[in-house]
C-alpha cells in the first residue's frame, strides 16, 4: 500500500468541502464517546460522585447553606478535568504515536478540522459534569432546611474547568506527540494549585477553582467574584482552543479574531476578579462580625429571643429545641429566665482560607429581654457538634449567669461538671464521644462554642476530673440525676463548690485529682 500523492489528497478533499460540519461533528461524536468510556475518565467521575455523596458532607444533606453548596463540587471536577486532559491528549496524538499520519492525511478533513473535532468531543464531558452539579444542587435546594442562595456562575465553574483542562490537553497534542507531557503538565498544575493558589493573593483566582472562603458566611457578605472568574475561564478555554487550531494550520484570520476576543475576556476577568473584595464589602463584614445586632432581626419563642442573619430563619426551631431541652433540666425559676441567642460569624476573614482570630461573641446583649449576655450560635448546623455547642453555651449562661468570655476558660469546679452534663444530657451522648476524639494531649476536653466547623469561635475546657464526674453521672439512672440537679442547683452553681463536692451532692464517686489536673489554670 502506498501513501496517496499530494494531488490525489487535494482531489479527495475537493469532493467534500473543507468546512463540512457533518464530517467534523461525526468525528467529534466518535471521539466524545471514546472519551466517555476512557477508564481514567470513568474513574475520575466515579470518585467525583463519591465525593459529592461522602459521609462527611452531613451539613450539606441536613441543613445545607446553598452559598457554600454551589462550589462544593468544584475541586472534584477539577480532578476530573485532569483526567480528561490526559485522555484527550492521548486521543489527539494517537495517529502520530502509532505512525498512521499518512493514512489520516488521505481523509477529507485537514489537521485543523480534526483538532476542532477533538475540541468538540469535550462537550459531552462538560454536559455530564453540568448534570451532576445540577442534580446535587437541586436536591439540596429543595430541602426545607436549606438556607442562602446559590450562584449560577459558581455552579458553572466546575464543568467549565473540565472543558478548559481538556482544551489544554488538545493544545499539548498539537505541540508535541510525547505521551509524558500531559501527565507532567497535570503534576505541575496540581503542585502549583495547592502551593500558589492556597494563599490570599490574587494569584489564586488564576486557577480553575478557589476555596478562599470559609463555610457559613451569609450570602450577601460572601460575594465572591464568581461571574468574573467564569468569564476568565471561558476566555481561557476559547483562547487556548484558538491557539490549538492555529497551530494545526487553521484559518489564520478566524483564529486571530477569536484569540483577540478571548484574550479580551481573559484580561477583563482576571482584572476584575483580582479586585475582590471591595472596600464597602469589607466594612459590611466587619460590622457583621463585631456589631451583628445592627444587621440582624430578632424573634421571640417563649422566654428566648433569637437574633440572626435573615436568611437563617428556618433554623430557629432547631435552635429552640436544643435550648428548651437544656432549660427543662433546670429548676423552674432558672428555666424561665430570659435569654438572647445571637448568631455569630467571622466574616472579616471571608476572603481567606481561615482565621486565627476569635469571634468576639461575648458582647452585651442588645435585645429587649434584659439578659446580661447573649448566647452564641453559629452559621452552620448539622455538620457535627453544633447542637452540643449551643447546648453548652446555653448551659454556661444558665449556670454562671453570663456568656463565656473571649479566650479559653477552664472550668475546674462544680459549674464545669454541671455545664457539660446539661449539654450532653440535652443532646446526645454520641456528641461526648466527639469531644473525646478532640481531647488535648494533657487531658483537657475542649467544647467549641460554635461547633466543629467554626474552630475560631472560642472554647470552654474541662479537666479530666470534671469529665470523669460527668461520665459517672451519665451512667446513673436519668430520673435520679435530674431530680438531684434541681434540688441541689444553688449549691452546684455556687462559685466555690468543687467538683468533688458536686459528685457527692449528685450521688456519684469522683476519682482523685491527678497531678495533670492540678496543673490547669482554672477559671
Amino acid at each position: 500500500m502506498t501513501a496517496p500523492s499530494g494531488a490525489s489528497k487535494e482531489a479527495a478533499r475537493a469532493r467534500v468541502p473543507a468546512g463540512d460540519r457533518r464530517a467534523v461533528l461525526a468525528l467529534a461524536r466518535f471521539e466524545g464517546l471514546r472519551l466517555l468510556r476512557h477508564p481514567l475518565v470513568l474513574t475520575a467521575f466515579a470518585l467525583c460522585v463519591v465525593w459529592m455523596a461522602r459521609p462527611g458532607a452531613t451539613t450539606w444533606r441536613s441543613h445545607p447553606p446553598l452559598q457554600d453548596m454551589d462550589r462544593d463540587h468544584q475541586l472534584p471536577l477539577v480532578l476530573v478535568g485532569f483526567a480528561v486532559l490526559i485522555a484527550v491528549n492521548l486521543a489527539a496524538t494517537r495517529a502520530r504515536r502509532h505512525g498512521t499520519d499518512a493514512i489520516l492525511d488521505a481523509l477529507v478533513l485537514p489537521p485543523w478540522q480534526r483538532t476542532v473535532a477533538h475540541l468538540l468531543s469535550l462537550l459531552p464531558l462538560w454536559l455530564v459534569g453540568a448534570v451532576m452539579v445540577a442534580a446535587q444542587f437541586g436536591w439540596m435546594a429543595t430541602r426545607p432546611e436549606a438556607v442562602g442562595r446559590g450562584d449560577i456562575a459558581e455552579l458553572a465553574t466546575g464543568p467549565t474547568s473540565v472543558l478548559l483542562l481538556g482544551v489544554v490537553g488538545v493544545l499539548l497534542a498539537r505541540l508535541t506527540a510525547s505521551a509524558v507531557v500531559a501527565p507532567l503538565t497535570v503534576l505541575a498544575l496540581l503542585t502549583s494549585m495547592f502551593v500558589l493558589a492556597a494563599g490570599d493573593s490574587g494569584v489564586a483566582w488564576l486557577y480553575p477553582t478557589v476555596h478562599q472562603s470559609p463555610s457559613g458566611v451569609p450570602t450577601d457578605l460572601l460575594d465572591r467574584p464568581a461571574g468574573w472568574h467564569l468569564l476568565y475561564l471561558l476566555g481561557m478555554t476559547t483562547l487556548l482552543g484558538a491557539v490549538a487550531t492555529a497551530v494545526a494550520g487553521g484559518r489564520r484570520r478566524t483564529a486571530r479574531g477569536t484569540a483577540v476576543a478571548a484574550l479580551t475576556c481573559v484580561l477583563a476577568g482576571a482584572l476584575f476578579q483580582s479586585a475582590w473584595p471591595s472596600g464597602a464589602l469589607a466594612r459590611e463584614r466587619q460590622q457583621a462580625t463585631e456589631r451583628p445586632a445592627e444587621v440582624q432581626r430578632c424573634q421571640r419563642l417563649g422566654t428566648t429571643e433569637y437574633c440572626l442573619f435573615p436568611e437563617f430563619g428556618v433554623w430557629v426551631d432547631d435552635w429552640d429545641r436544643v435550648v428548651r431541652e437544656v432549660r427543662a433540666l433546670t429548676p423552674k425559676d432558672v428555666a424561665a429566665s430570659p435569654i438572647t441567642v445571637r448568631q455569630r460569624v467571622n466574616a472579616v476573614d471571608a476572603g481567606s482560607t481561615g482565621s486565627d482570630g476569635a469571634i468576639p461573641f461575648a458582647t452585651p446583649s442588645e435585645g429587649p429581654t434584659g439578659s446580661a449576655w447573649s448566647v452564641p450560635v453559629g452559621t452552620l448546623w448539622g455538620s457535627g457538634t453544633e447542637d452540643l455547642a449551643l447546648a453548652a453555651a446555653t448551659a454556661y449562661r444558665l449556670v454562671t449567669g453570663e456568656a463565656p468570655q473571649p479566650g479559653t476558660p477552664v472550668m475546674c469546679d462544680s459549674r464545669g461538671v454541671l455545664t457539660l452534663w446539661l449539654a450532653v444530657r440535652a443532646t446526645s451522648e454520641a456528641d461526648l464521644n466527639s469531644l473525646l476524639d478532640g481531647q488535648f494531649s494533657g487531658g483537657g476536653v475542649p467544647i467549641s462554642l460554635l461547633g466543629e466547623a467554626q474552630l475560631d469561635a472560642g472554647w470552654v475546657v474541662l479537666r479530666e476530673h470534671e469529665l470523669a464526674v460527668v461520665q459517672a453521672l451519665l451512667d446513673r439512672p436519668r430520673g435520679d440525676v435530674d431530680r438531684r440537679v434541681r434540688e441541689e442547683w444553688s449549691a452546684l452553681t455556687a462559685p466555690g463548690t468543687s467538683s468533688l463536692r458536686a459528685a457527692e451532692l449528685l450521688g456519684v464517686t469522683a476519682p482523685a485529682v491527678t497531678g495533670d489536673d492540678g496543673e490547669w489554670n482554672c477559671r
Side-chain angles (χ1 to χ4, degrees):
M1 178 178 180
T2 59
S5 65
S8 62
K9 287 188 289 184
E10 293 299 327
R13 285 172 181 163
R15 290 194 294 272
V16 180
D20 192 335
R21 296 180 180 177
R22 289 175 299 174
V24 173
L25 292 177
L27 180 58
R29 284 196 298 270
F30 174 77
E31 294 293 350
L33 290 174
R34 285 179 64 93
L35 282 178
L36 287 173
R37 296 195 301 265
H38 194 283
L40 189 59
V41 174
L42 288 175
T43 301
F45 272 121
L47 292 176
C48 186
V49 172
V50 170
W51 169 271
M52 291 181 174
R54 65 194 187 280
T58 308
T59 182
W60 305 140
R61 289 198 289 272
S62 62
H63 293 73
L66 299 181
Q67 70 273 23
D68 299 329
M69 184 62 216
D70 61 9
R71 64 181 189 274
D72 185 56
H73 68 279
Q74 291 180 6
L75 181 58
L77 277 183
V78 167
L79 299 180
V80 171
F82 287 139
V84 172
L85 187 159
I86 295 174
V88 75
N89 180 265
L90 291 173
T93 59
R94 187 187 308 121
R96 280 183 289 172
R97 286 186 293 105
H98 294 171
T100 58
D101 298 69
I103 297 176
L104 288 180
D105 284 341
L107 299 179
V108 295
L109 292 179
W112 75 268
Q113 285 188 317
R114 296 200 298 271
T115 299
V116 171
H118 281 295
L119 293 173
L120 292 176
S121 72
L122 299 170
L123 293 179
L125 301 171
W126 177 90
L127 181 61
V128 171
V131 169
M132 291 172 59
V133 171
Q136 184 198 30
F137 187 80
W139 178 39
M140 296 303 169
T142 57
R143 294 190 63 86
E145 303 88 355
V147 298
R149 60 182 183 274
D151 188 324
I152 187 65
E154 295 279 19
L155 293 170
T157 294
T160 304
S161 300
V162 174
L163 197 61
L164 170 60
L165 291 169
V167 171
V168 172
V170 176
L171 175 59
L172 292 174
R174 297 285 73 88
L175 297 176
T176 175
S178 174
V180 301
V181 171
L184 289 177
T185 300
V186 169
L187 181 61
L189 289 174
L190 269 173
T191 302
S192 61
M193 187 173 73
F194 285 104
V195 174
L196 298 179
D200 300 337
S201 66
V203 175
W205 288 96
L206 300 179
Y207 289 81
T209 182
V210 182
H211 281 270
Q212 287 188 342
S213 300
S215 300
V217 175
T219 306
D220 292 337
L221 300 179
L222 188 61
D223 196 25
R224 285 160 50 98
W228 291 113
H229 186 60
L230 180 62
L231 177 65
Y232 164 78
L233 295 179
L234 291 172
M236 283 293 295
T237 302
T238 306
L239 175 62
L240 297 180
V243 172
T245 305
V247 171
R251 297 169 180 173
R252 292 184 177 180
R253 180 176 299 178
T254 302
R256 187 183 300 115
T258 303
V260 170
L263 182 59
T264 302
C265 293
V266 169
L267 294 176
L271 176 64
F272 286 102
Q273 72 184 10
S274 63
W276 173 83
S278 66
L281 178 60
R283 289 190 293 273
E284 291 175 3
R285 288 173 174 174
Q286 185 172 8
Q287 180 187 35
T289 302
E290 299 177 359
R291 305 183 306 279
E294 299 175 3
V295 293
Q296 291 179 338
R297 63 176 178 83
C298 300
Q299 67 180 86
R300 185 191 300 274
L301 294 178
T303 56
T304 306
E305 185 177 51
Y306 296 91
C307 299
L308 59 145
F309 299 103
E311 67 190 70
F312 294 89
V314 297
W315 292 356
V316 170
D317 288 340
D318 294 294
W319 298 340
D320 189 59
R321 173 184 51 79
V322 173
V323 173
R324 283 188 287 104
E325 288 290 339
V326 177
R327 287 182 180 273
L329 298 169
T330 65
K332 290 184 178 180
D333 57 330
V334 177
S337 60
I339 292 179
T340 296
V341 176
R342 186 172 300 284
Q343 197 173 30
R344 307 308 306 235
V345 65
N346 184 0
V348 173
D349 295 318
S352 64
T353 54
S355 170
D356 294 328
I359 299 174
F361 56 82
T363 57
S365 171
E366 299 86 354
T369 60
S371 57
W373 299 91
S374 58
V375 172
V377 66
T379 52
L380 295 176
W381 192 262
S383 65
T385 59
E386 284 75 24
D387 55 346
L388 179 66
L390 177 57
T394 302
Y396 191 107
R397 168 69 177 83
L398 295 174
V399 170
T400 66
E402 60 183 25
Q405 304 298 310
T408 307
V410 182
M411 303 182 72
C412 310
D413 57 8
S414 171
R415 295 182 300 175
V417 171
L418 189 56
T419 297
L420 181 58
W421 177 82
L422 286 170
V424 175
R425 176 72 173 79
T427 53
S428 169
E429 291 188 29
D431 291 333
L432 181 60
N433 296 328
S434 298
L435 291 183
L436 297 178
D437 291 339
Q439 205 166 357
F440 292 143
S441 58
V445 180
I447 308 173
S448 174
L449 291 168
L450 291 184
E452 292 176 342
Q454 295 171 309
L455 301 180
D456 57 354
W459 305 78
V460 169
V461 177
L462 274 71
R463 303 177 303 173
E464 282 280 356
H465 188 263
E466 282 68 35
L467 174 63
V469 176
V470 171
Q471 290 175 316
L473 291 173
L474 294 174
D475 291 336
R476 297 270 300 168
R478 288 189 172 187
D480 178 58
V481 177
D482 293 354
R483 176 183 56 81
R484 287 174 179 264
V485 165
R486 295 189 184 93
E487 291 176 351
E488 305 293 345
W489 182 267
S490 297
L492 292 171
T493 57
T497 305
S498 67
S499 53
L500 288 171
R501 176 59 177 160
E504 181 182 343
L505 292 172
L506 296 175
V508 296
T509 302
V513 177
T514 65
D516 288 341
D517 289 335
E519 293 179 1
W520 284 94
N521 184 19
C522 299
R523 181 180 182 274

